[in-house]
Amino acid sequence: MTVTDPYAAAARETTEGRVYTVTGGDWDTIQPSDEEERLVINMGPQHPSTHGVLRLVLELEGETVTQARTVIGYLHTGIEKNLEYRNWTQGVTFVTRMDYLSNAFNETVYCLGVEKLLGVEVPERATVIRVLMMELQRVASHLVWLATGGMELGALTAMTNGFRERELILDVLETITGQRMNPAYVRPGGVAQDLPPGAVEKILDLLEVLRERLPTYDDLLTGNPIWQRRLQGVAHLDLQGCLALGVTGPILRSAGLAWDMRKTEPYCGYENYDFEVPTETTADAWGRYRVRMAEMWESLKIIDQALDKLEPGPVMVQDRKIGWPAQLALGPDGLGNSLDHVKKIMGTSMEALIHHFKLVTEGFRVPAGQVYVAIENPRGELGAHVVSDGGTRPYRVHVRDPGFVNLQSASAMCEGSLIADAIAAVASIDPVMGGVDR
Amino acid sequence: MSESTDLSTGGPTPEGRTPGAVDVGMGTDSRVTSDMFGATFGGDTSGFGGLVRQTPADVGTPRPYGGWFDEFADTLEAVYSGFADAVTKVVVYRDEITVHVKPAKVAEVAQVMRDDENLRFELLSNLSGVDYPSQAERLHVVYNLTSMTYRRRVRLETAVTVEDPHVASVCGPYPTADFHERECWDMFGVIFDGHPALTRILMPDDWPGHPQRKDYPLGGVPVEYKGAQIPPPDERRAYA
């Protein structure tokens, strides 16, 4: 008696051996072709093309996206809640981890908020250093956008080149702050320490390299017909749509509105820098690419000017009740308090020691009230709503991350387009999930 | 700079004077708790600073507000017929104006502020919540509106109770409020009437509770560091 397997594939004997013909599982057998074909698929959260742990729920008709929904929260880490259990200075180490590609912006916007509540004026040199850090970071962030966005569209050379140049910038940031990313370098009242010796020269060298290499991206991509056809006319969102959805940054500027808070509501002395706000009128992924490429050049101009503005001076407010008394120096175990300073406070001044201890463990107090400050980060308006109850810890800090808001436009950009263009749309939004989910 | 000098030299006396007591925007005296630590008075580092914590009180800033704030308030009052009914107070603090609005009227006010040609607040920059457990209406929702035309920023604020946390959704005038309101529902449990699909956004769909409320614990486990047990952050020694 032979048992026949109903699921066995048909087989025939040939001179090469037995050959199986495997059939079945065709779409036609599952979905009769005369009915409407509608398929809901999940893309992400673990997907190389979704720009981080972003989940897209796409309703497809063939290759066409009829509905798109973004699902976020996979990288939610409760940073805002955690801030409420640390002192104001420690808060910097948390906010820097939000949008991890633009740390300097997160730190600066938080510190500007705290300083506004405190009512203190940051020393000129500290402000210039902040601008320097932010603009270096803007170039690095746009390079990562180019790298990841290029990779998602299949331009792998864009990825390797983008990450290569970005690493050069991170090297410089590491020289200045001690860390590639998340440095907690900007502190309420100024910055953690002055630029180390040789930093300016390193930045100048970097600028030279970048000025040489940025045009190669144009050579590689701008004239490339595949790149053009993947981006031009794709992910269209006009000015009205941008404003309704609260979209800011390069997406808004690609729709023709030159809204850049460095110009419209200058902070950190941006009114004293000479630079342009690049715009496009195509309102598509191509326009966003062009805007970001042009912005890198403007950032290089600002860095040049910031280096000229660097005058010797303090980098932290002179108010001893706010600025940490630390005198940092390179110790045998990395960075630490200078031995001379420790000797002085331990040996000669009991009060200085207590003061140091209390300022570090307990922190300074911030007058009660609430403020909202906003700056232009590589993705748009980065805002910080900072509330104090007069204590040494933030009462509530909310960061308005442009990635979070801009991501709402994904549905508007994707619906009606091909699924491949949905990838281009999300890439052109450039969300950083650390900032989106916080 | 007056505030900073106030902090460094003036500050609270041991009896507990409010830092910057003139103008704190959150009002004073509604809830005062003091703490032993924190020397803000001159060179005294002995502790016993008398920390005063503050939560908002029911007082607004008297006119004139200064700058363009008066012009803005006048315009809003003129074009919005329900102004007297909807607006409870106006607070000016640190060069920022906050208009406190009744929760059911938020959408109306937002619509007027967006549409009137002398106001033109085209962009809802930010929407977030704050929890003040000492107040009856403890859940506050804060809206930061930006006028791109006039380059002005105004904050709207509204407050609701935990038992009846209903606020009118501003998704009509500002579609961008969609994600913001979902986050505010998720984190604070504020219900936005009129929102197209008010679901959780950052936390999982089946998550119990609203994490950003002050009575929601931070959580965490003790960690061992160099042989010592370090308690989780919310159980550590707090000075303030």
Side-chain angles (χ1 to χ4, degrees):
Chain A
M1 187 184 119
T2 53
V3 179
T4 49
D5 179 359
Y7 301 106
R12 63 196 161 91
E13 300 297 332
T14 67
T15 52
E16 305 284 310
R18 183 174 294 172
V19 172
Y20 292 96
T21 308
V22 183
T23 58
D26 286 351
W27 185 240
D28 286 350
T29 62
I30 300 168
Q31 171 90 24
S33 56
D34 53 336
E35 283 180 27
E36 194 183 13
E37 271 188 38
R38 191 161 278 197
L39 186 64
V40 178
I41 63 157
N42 249 319
M43 203 171 131
Q46 302 294 340
H47 190 284
S49 291
T50 56
H51 225 88
V53 282
L54 170 66
R55 179 175 152 210
L56 289 168
V57 181
L58 303 173
E59 193 179 276
L60 301 175
E61 244 180 64
E63 282 271 305
T64 309
V65 179
T66 53
Q67 277 200 52
R69 292 289 176 271
T70 47
V71 182
I72 62 172
Y74 295 95
L75 207 55
H76 178 58
T77 43
I79 288 177
E80 290 174 4
K81 179 90 175 170
N82 266 290
L83 282 175
E84 294 165 15
Y85 294 87
R86 306 299 203 289
N87 68 34
W88 291 96
T89 307
Q90 285 172 311
V92 176
T93 58
F94 280 83
V95 294
T96 188
R97 282 159 173 78
M98 288 182 165
D99 179 347
Y100 45 80
L101 294 185
S102 55
N103 324 109
F105 295 91
N106 301 338
E107 295 171 12
T108 303
V109 76
Y110 168 79
C111 291
L112 287 175
V114 178
E115 286 150 10
K116 195 169 182 185
L117 277 173
L118 282 168
V120 296
E121 198 79 41
V122 176
E124 178 62 22
R125 186 177 171 88
T127 302
V128 175
I129 293 176
R130 284 178 181 184
V131 170
L132 204 55
M133 300 297 288
M134 285 194 283
E135 294 307 324
L136 283 169
Q137 197 103 62
R138 192 185 308 273
V139 180
S141 175
H142 281 348
L143 285 171
V144 173
W145 165 77
L146 186 75
T148 55
M151 181 189 68
E152 285 155 17
L153 299 177
L156 287 180
T157 314
M159 181 194 75
T160 51
N161 287 8
F163 276 122
R164 179 187 67 189
E165 265 72 273
R166 181 233 189 182
E167 207 58 37
L168 298 175
I169 300 177
L170 293 188
D171 281 346
V172 172
L173 295 182
E174 187 178 2
T175 307
I176 297 171
T177 68
Q179 297 227 62
R180 286 171 72 242
M181 294 165 77
N182 307 328
Y185 177 68
V186 180
R187 301 275 173 87
V191 294
Q193 52 179 321
D194 205 347
L195 295 177
V200 175
E201 290 72 32
K202 269 196 116 160
I203 297 173
L204 287 172
D205 290 346
L206 172 73
L207 290 183
E208 205 172 303
V209 175
L210 286 177
R211 290 214 157 96
E212 200 177 291
R213 294 202 182 155
L214 283 185
T216 64
Y217 294 116
D218 276 332
D219 295 344
L220 178 69
L221 296 169
T222 310
N224 184 329
I226 304 174
W227 186 252
Q228 289 182 357
R229 293 184 66 176
R230 287 303 304 272
L231 296 183
Q232 285 176 352
V234 166
H236 189 269
L237 188 70
D238 63 5
L239 186 57
Q240 201 179 356
C242 284
L243 284 183
L245 293 169
V247 171
T248 46
I251 308 177
L252 183 61
R253 292 192 283 274
S254 79
L257 183 64
W259 180 261
D260 183 324
M261 267 167 319
R262 292 176 292 175
K263 286 281 187 201
T264 57
E265 295 168 47
Y267 52 90
C268 289
Y270 269 111
E271 62 273 26
N272 303 321
Y273 294 85
D274 175 31
F275 65 102
E276 304 292 326
V277 178
T279 54
E280 291 283 327
T281 50
T282 53
D284 58 1
W286 177 254
R288 284 157 219 155
Y289 161 72
R290 301 273 295 180
V291 164
R292 289 193 177 102
M293 294 300 277
E295 275 182 16
M296 287 198 259
W297 286 101
E298 299 304 321
S299 288
L300 296 187
K301 269 162 71 180
I302 299 173
I303 295 168
D304 254 343
Q305 295 168 48
L307 288 175
D308 291 340
K309 285 182 201 290
L310 272 180
E311 300 286 340
V315 293
M316 182 54 94
V317 286
Q318 295 303 291
D319 187 340
R320 288 288 177 201
K321 293 290 183 190
I322 295 170
W324 277 17
Q327 316 268 311
L328 296 181
L330 200 60
D333 56 345
L335 203 64
N337 250 321
S338 88
L339 285 176
D340 284 340
H341 180 64
V342 174
K343 206 163 127 189
K344 182 179 152 233
I345 60 172
M346 296 282 280
T348 63
S349 173
M350 185 70 177
E351 286 75 17
L353 178 66
I354 298 171
H355 197 105
H356 183 138
F357 178 75
K358 289 184 73 66
L359 197 51
V360 173
T361 55
E362 181 184 335
F364 52 81
R365 290 163 186 205
V366 173
Q370 60 177 337
V371 292
Y372 178 80
V373 287
I375 65 174
E376 187 76 24
N377 99 341
R379 278 158 273 284
E381 175 177 340
L382 177 74
H385 178 232
V386 185
V387 186
S388 172
D389 65 349
T392 59
R393 294 173 163 190
Y395 188 74
R396 162 96 172 117
V397 176
H398 176 73
V399 172
R400 182 257 198 224
D401 190 88
F404 176 77
V405 183
N406 292 0
L407 201 54
Q408 297 186 89
S409 64
S411 307
M413 289 181 188
C414 294
E415 286 173 9
S417 71
L418 295 177
I419 189 166
D421 293 342
I423 306 293
V426 174
S428 78
I429 295 172
D430 189 24
V432 174
M433 298 316 287
V436 172
D437 293 343
R438 287 152 287 139
Chain B
M1 277 306 289
S2 62
E3 286 82 5
S4 78
T5 31
D6 192 26
L7 261 187
S8 57
T9 55
T13 59
E15 298 89 60
R17 187 173 76 76
T18 314
V22 241
D23 173 24
V24 290
M26 292 176 95
T28 51
D29 300 327
S30 58
R31 184 181 68 112
V32 175
T33 53
S34 47
D35 199 295
M36 291 196 304
F37 289 86
T40 48
F41 191 66
D44 175 22
T45 49
S46 61
F48 301 100
L51 176 67
V52 180
R53 324 194 103 207
Q54 293 160 291
T55 47
D58 294 331
V59 284
T61 309
R63 293 251 195 174
Y65 306 137
W68 54 267
F69 297 148
D70 289 290
E71 185 202 326
F72 156 75
D74 290 342
T75 314
L76 185 62
E77 216 167 332
V79 296
Y80 177 48
S81 52
F83 184 87
D85 181 38
V87 176
T88 51
K89 62 180 166 176
V90 176
V91 175
V92 176
Y93 177 64
R94 291 279 188 258
D95 278 337
E96 293 182 14
I97 185 165
T98 310
V99 181
H100 290 253
V101 181
K102 286 182 186 162
K105 303 283 184 189
V106 175
E108 260 177 54
V109 176
Q111 185 80 46
V112 172
M113 288 183 64
R114 190 197 72 173
D115 290 344
D116 187 77
E117 61 177 14
N118 292 319
L119 297 170
R120 281 206 198 283
F121 287 86
E122 298 98 343
L123 183 69
L124 174 72
S125 281
N126 180 43
L127 188 163
S128 73
V130 190
D131 181 16
Y132 299 100
S134 61
Q135 294 187 329
E137 292 177 329
R138 58 180 268 197
L139 300 176
H140 288 227
V141 184
V142 176
Y143 308 75
N144 289 94
L145 305 181
T146 305
S147 165
M148 289 174 150
T149 308
Y150 299 108
R151 308 224 169 132
R152 292 170 173 176
R153 285 175 188 272
V154 165
R155 182 163 39 235
L156 298 183
E157 187 164 341
T158 190
V160 289
T161 59
V162 171
E163 292 72 34
D164 182 30
H166 289 271
V167 178
S169 167
V170 295
C171 276
Y174 298 111
T176 179
D178 180 1
F179 272 22
H180 287 299
E181 289 183 349
R182 281 176 64 194
E183 187 186 338
C184 195
W185 151 251
D186 194 358
M187 291 294 150
F188 290 93
V190 177
I191 299 169
F192 292 92
D193 295 328
H195 188 284
L198 196 66
T199 52
R200 286 190 183 270
I201 185 165
L202 295 179
M203 306 304 283
D205 288 343
D206 55 354
W207 192 264
H210 299 284
Q212 283 278 7
R213 285 188 183 172
K214 286 285 178 185
D215 48 12
Y216 189 99
L218 179 67
V221 292
V223 288
E224 193 180 311
Y225 181 69
K226 294 192 174 177
Q229 285 277 320
I230 311 294
D234 53 343
E235 290 166 26
R236 281 178 207 159
R237 178 84 170 84
Y239 298 93

